[in-house]
Amino acid sequence: MKNVATDLETVNLIKAFKEIVETSNQDLIQENANVDGKTPMGQMGKFGSESAKYYVKQYMLSPIVKKAVEDHYIHPHDLDYMPTGTTTCCQIPLGKVLKGGFNTGHGHMREPNDISSAMALSSIILQSNQNMQHGGQSYPTFDYDLAPYVLKTFQKHLKRINEYPTSFTAEEKEEQAWKETDRDVYQACEAFVHNCNSMHSRSGAQVPFVSINYGTDTSPAGRMVIKNILLATQAGLGNGETPIFPIQIFKMKKGINFEPHEPNYDLYQLALQTTAKRLFPNFSFIDAPFNYQYYNGTPESEVAYMGCRTRVMGNLHGDENSVGRGNLSFTSINLVKIALTSNTLEQFYEKLDYYMDITIQQLLERYKFQMKKKAKHFPFLYSQGIWKGGENLKEEDSLEDLLKQGTLSVGFIGLAEALKALTGSHHGENDTAYQIGYEIIQFMRKKMDDAIEEHRLNFSLIATPAEGLSGKFTKQDQQEFGIIKGVTDRQYYTNSYHIPVYYPIKAIDKIRKEGPFHALCNAGHISYIECDGDVSKNIEALDVLVKAMAQYQIGYGSINHPVDRCKCCGFTGTIDNECPRCKNHDETYIERIRRITGYLVGDMTKWNTAKQAEEQERVKHK
């Protein structure tokens, strides 16, 4: 696979180095809005990233794949990590790892005896595993996994209270023990949230990309975890800042938290209040048919999402759930360029088929390289059983049997612009374009299902969370095709199957139109609704939106609205031109929290230019 570098490629690498040194290219140094590319470690990360990409393109890509990448038809995500053999992400079995303790490589951590220690160790697990992979870390059953340590805390308090010479009845003693336990759980949750936003230890410049799934544990201990993680999120950080991490996913399930008579309905209402104030939690839907097919009543069978949208459920080689599994790698296809280079819809499908075959080949090449790695290269991920079955491997063992339980995913960007090029309308504008758009993604899903049968691996289709990519493809296509109205006339392409952010559409219509795509994108999906003003004054409206998502079979959804904070007086809410409390109108002293692809960012100066332009054009959905 060896290729020889051209003089132009060398020149481009040196040019990138110069732009990193001078911090002159916003799109290069802020490819990830969660990393400050102007800091020393941020710069070092970019030097390493650009060098690694250069190496990969010269020595690790087959010629046909390299050409597809250079022609901007496909984009392998996290290509800079390919030489390391890392996988993307993992849903960590927190309860299993805490049970009996674990070893970070520098000493053994004993199993915790109370909720404070359990929450502290939960942060350490995320911190220890973050550099084993290039993507996110997630807890799929956060409430169930921590409930036993709430009970341990309760028992400790009850034992102490029982030793006091009081006239309390047994019931009063238990009530007091639960009250003290509740206080401890809140403090532990508060510390966990603070840790998630302060551990700048990922690649030396970034906090861990953390997600937690919860909402369905109906036990008193589990409910206490859910309640207090929500309350701690509402309280915010030290000066009232909105926590950026963890990304929180509240799992909706009929019979558990969907209706007023159900046991966790009160926690669902608290989740809505928290979303209204802090943008998290997002909401996932266990009853969506493509999620419910795996549900057997156990916590492990509940769907779990990660971060921007990643979903791992189906499995040819083991249990069909998320626990102890993750995505191996994913690569996105530029639907817009395929459309712009096709004269007919038939030709579009021929080219799409061709580039999907190349993308599948590229994923297999990367997978084969990952398989060559040994367990010793990722000591925490495997030796501590983070990835299912890893604890059974010896240091020199290969990873094939474990990795085949992960997913290989193809993504896509710009369905809306591709439809504009093909039909003159996008799928939000008329039914004909919508039907064609649906059939295109249906075609892509079938290609993934066929790849499963051919290669006996877990191929899947993902609705790409395009951050840096949203502008990268666009710039190249503008240079090649010029400015085409509705296609290349903006600085960004629309993410995956989304209705364009600038298109005025009612919330219910957006949900109804995007819902069917969730079933097709089995590797991950999300839909957003943009609300205007202070939604904390209208929780009922949020409830209607969440219930509509459930009705139209959304798998994973979130609600966006302005969350601003005045740094002068601490006011949190909606700030237009000036703070309503202290009248500050200096924009440098106003923090505006916005969602970029699935996670939150409080400083939009760290966004690349394409995502800044996209955020400015977002319309509100009535």
Side-chain angles (χ1 to χ4, degrees):
M1 291 188 186
K2 182 175 178 179
N3 295 304
V4 178
T6 66
D7 289 342
L8 179 60
E9 288 168 336
T10 304
V11 168
N12 286 338
L13 179 64
I14 299 303
K15 177 175 178 285
F17 281 1
K18 188 171 185 292
E19 290 173 339
I20 294 167
V21 171
E22 297 172 350
T23 64
S24 58
N25 184 339
Q26 176 79 0
D27 294 336
L28 176 65
I29 65 173
Q30 293 303 158
E31 193 171 23
N32 186 325
N34 196 33
V35 178
D36 189 346
K38 298 184 291 294
T39 63
M41 291 309 297
Q43 287 184 309
M44 283 301 297
K46 287 305 296 178
F47 281 129
S49 174
E50 294 305 309
S51 301
K53 290 176 188 174
Y54 178 86
Y55 176 84
V56 170
K57 290 176 182 177
Q58 303 314 315
Y59 299 102
M60 298 187 73
L61 299 181
S62 59
I64 192 171
V65 169
K66 183 183 179 186
K67 183 172 183 355
V69 171
E70 290 178 338
D71 290 345
H72 309 290
Y73 280 105
I74 73 172
H75 175 82
H77 292 264
D78 301 294
L79 193 64
D80 46 346
Y81 279 91
M82 185 172 172
T84 69
T86 51
T87 54
T88 303
C89 55
C90 188
Q91 291 277 6
I92 299 173
L94 177 58
K96 171 188 169 185
V97 179
L98 289 177
K99 185 74 174 176
F102 58 90
N103 194 315
T104 62
H106 302 287
H108 187 77
M109 306 288 119
R110 292 189 298 272
E111 180 177 356
N113 287 317
D114 58 32
I115 189 60
S116 297
S117 298
M119 283 286 197
L121 291 179
S122 298
S123 299
I124 291 172
I125 291 168
L126 295 167
Q127 191 172 30
S128 299
N129 195 59
Q130 64 182 325
N131 290 313
M132 299 287 104
Q133 302 185 279
H134 58 253
Q137 313 300 321
S138 180
Y139 290 137
T141 50
F142 189 71
D143 41 1
Y144 291 100
D145 289 340
L146 289 169
Y149 303 99
V150 175
L151 289 175
K152 282 189 175 187
T153 305
F154 167 74
Q155 293 295 341
K156 286 171 68 172
H157 284 309
L158 185 60
K159 180 181 178 182
R160 175 180 50 79
I161 291 170
N162 280 332
E163 292 172 353
Y164 290 163
T166 67
S167 58
F168 285 177
T169 65
E171 289 182 352
E172 289 172 331
K173 290 179 180 179
E174 286 197 7
E175 183 179 351
Q176 180 62 24
W178 276 119
K179 182 178 179 181
E180 294 183 20
T181 300
D182 191 40
R183 176 201 62 202
D184 290 348
V185 174
Y186 177 81
Q187 291 177 343
C189 288
E190 184 179 49
F192 178 78
V193 171
H194 278 70
N195 279 332
C196 287
N197 290 273
S198 60
M199 298 186 295
H200 284 82
S201 48
R202 177 182 172 85
S203 302
Q206 183 181 12
V207 294
F209 199 99
V210 178
S211 304
I212 56 175
N213 295 258
Y214 58 79
T216 54
D217 189 341
T218 59
S219 71
R223 283 174 47 79
M224 196 169 281
V225 171
I226 300 167
K227 180 188 77 171
N228 284 294
I229 195 69
L230 289 168
L231 290 175
T233 302
Q234 281 194 28
L237 302 177
N239 289 325
E241 302 94 335
T242 292
I244 303 302
F245 289 109
I247 294 172
Q248 300 180 42
I249 302 112
F250 190 93
K251 296 187 279 190
M252 298 295 295
K253 178 73 184 73
K254 291 179 180 177
I256 294 178
N257 51 31
F258 207 78
E259 300 294 348
H261 64 276
E262 296 170 353
N264 280 6
Y265 183 78
D266 59 330
L267 296 176
Y268 163 56
Q269 293 299 307
L270 184 61
L272 291 175
Q273 295 167 18
T274 308
T275 295
K277 187 173 183 180
R278 299 298 187 185
L279 288 166
F280 286 144
N282 301 334
F283 296 90
S284 67
F285 300 89
I286 296 172
D287 292 315
F290 47 85
N291 290 332
Y292 190 76
Q293 65 178 316
Y294 302 106
Y295 182 68
N296 62 19
T298 64
E300 294 78 14
S301 67
E302 297 175 356
V303 67
Y305 288 86
M306 185 181 304
C308 297
R309 67 206 65 202
T310 305
R311 172 187 179 274
V312 177
M313 290 298 288
N315 188 8
L316 288 177
H317 304 288
D319 295 335
E320 292 196 296
N321 59 44
S322 295
V323 182
R325 302 173 57 218
N327 178 251
L328 303 180
S329 68
F330 75 101
T331 296
S332 292
I333 293 178
N334 184 353
L335 293 181
V336 189
K337 183 165 187 177
I338 294 177
L340 289 171
T341 53
S342 301
N343 295 319
T344 64
L345 189 58
E346 181 181 9
Q347 191 177 24
F348 173 86
Y349 275 111
E350 289 174 357
K351 295 195 75 168
L352 178 58
D353 186 65
Y354 174 76
Y355 282 107
M356 287 200 72
D357 284 340
I358 292 177
T359 304
I360 291 168
Q361 177 182 331
Q362 182 269 318
L363 289 170
L364 287 170
E365 290 173 1
R366 188 168 186 168
Y367 170 70
K368 289 174 182 176
F369 180 79
Q370 290 170 321
M371 284 195 311
K372 293 178 182 177
K373 291 290 183 175
K374 300 183 184 298
K376 67 181 181 182
H377 295 134
F378 310 95
F380 190 79
L381 178 65
Y382 296 117
S383 69
Q384 302 307 303
I386 303 294
W387 194 281
K388 184 182 292 185
E391 66 275 21
N392 299 321
L393 295 182
K394 297 177 182 176
E395 285 192 348
E396 295 296 327
D397 285 346
S398 70
L399 304 176
E400 181 176 4
D401 286 342
L402 267 64
L403 290 187
K404 67 184 181 183
Q405 296 205 48
T407 58
L408 294 163
S409 303
V410 173
F412 59 96
I413 185 173
L415 177 63
E417 289 79 10
L419 289 170
K420 272 284 194 183
L422 290 169
T423 72
S425 302
H426 62 67
H427 53 313
E429 292 178 306
N430 65 57
D431 292 341
T432 301
Y434 181 89
Q435 186 59 34
I436 293 172
Y438 182 81
E439 289 172 358
I440 288 171
I441 307 308
Q442 200 173 37
F443 174 87
M444 296 184 75
R445 171 60 185 274
K446 186 178 185 304
K447 286 287 289 187
M448 294 296 94
D449 292 345
D450 291 344
I452 291 173
E453 295 303 315
E454 180 179 355
H455 302 288
R456 303 307 296 167
L457 293 169
N458 296 315
F459 278 93
S460 53
L461 184 67
I462 188 169
T464 292
E467 185 178 339
L469 182 59
S470 67
K472 190 175 295 183
F473 275 159
T474 314
K475 281 184 179 178
Q476 297 297 331
D477 290 348
Q478 285 172 344
Q479 291 176 13
E480 186 170 348
F481 304 104
I483 302 301
I484 303 170
K485 186 176 181 181
V487 183
T488 62
D489 58 344
R490 288 179 165 82
Q491 294 185 54
Y492 59 91
Y493 285 152
T494 299
N495 271 11
S496 60
Y497 54 74
H498 290 171
I499 305 296
V501 298
Y502 54 81
Y503 182 69
I505 187 172
K506 292 180 180 178
I508 190 67
D509 291 333
K510 186 173 193 292
I511 291 169
R512 178 176 55 82
K513 285 179 176 288
E514 292 189 1
F517 290 97
H518 284 231
L520 297 177
C521 298
N522 57 338
H525 41 247
I526 196 169
S527 285
Y528 308 108
I529 293 299
E530 297 284 339
C531 293
D532 200 2
D534 187 357
V535 296
S536 64
K537 296 180 173 62
N538 196 355
I539 300 300
E540 294 81 2
L542 298 186
D543 177 60
V544 169
L545 289 174
V546 173
K547 296 295 176 61
M549 289 179 180
Q551 178 184 351
Y552 289 103
Q553 298 179 9
I554 295 288
Y556 181 35
S558 68
I559 300 168
N560 295 338
H561 54 88
V563 174
D564 305 324
R565 184 179 70 90
C566 177
K567 298 178 183 178
C568 294
C569 69
F571 172 83
T572 299
T574 301
I575 301 176
D576 294 323
N577 297 321
E578 67 175 19
C579 173
R581 180 187 292 167
C582 71
K583 307 306 178 184
N584 162 54
H585 57 270
D586 186 341
E587 190 66 28
T588 60
Y589 290 96
I590 298 175
E591 176 187 71
R592 300 190 185 278
I593 299 289
R594 299 294 184 269
R595 201 184 310 270
I596 185 165
T597 56
Y599 65 96
L600 306 182
V601 178
D603 183 359
M604 283 189 286
T605 62
K606 296 178 184 176
W607 290 31
N608 64 58
T609 55
K611 296 309 287 187
Q612 286 182 1
E614 186 248 89
E615 193 277 335
Q616 290 171 6
E617 293 190 341
R618 294 176 185 176
V619 299
K620 307 304 179 183
H621 302 126
K622 302 299 182 183

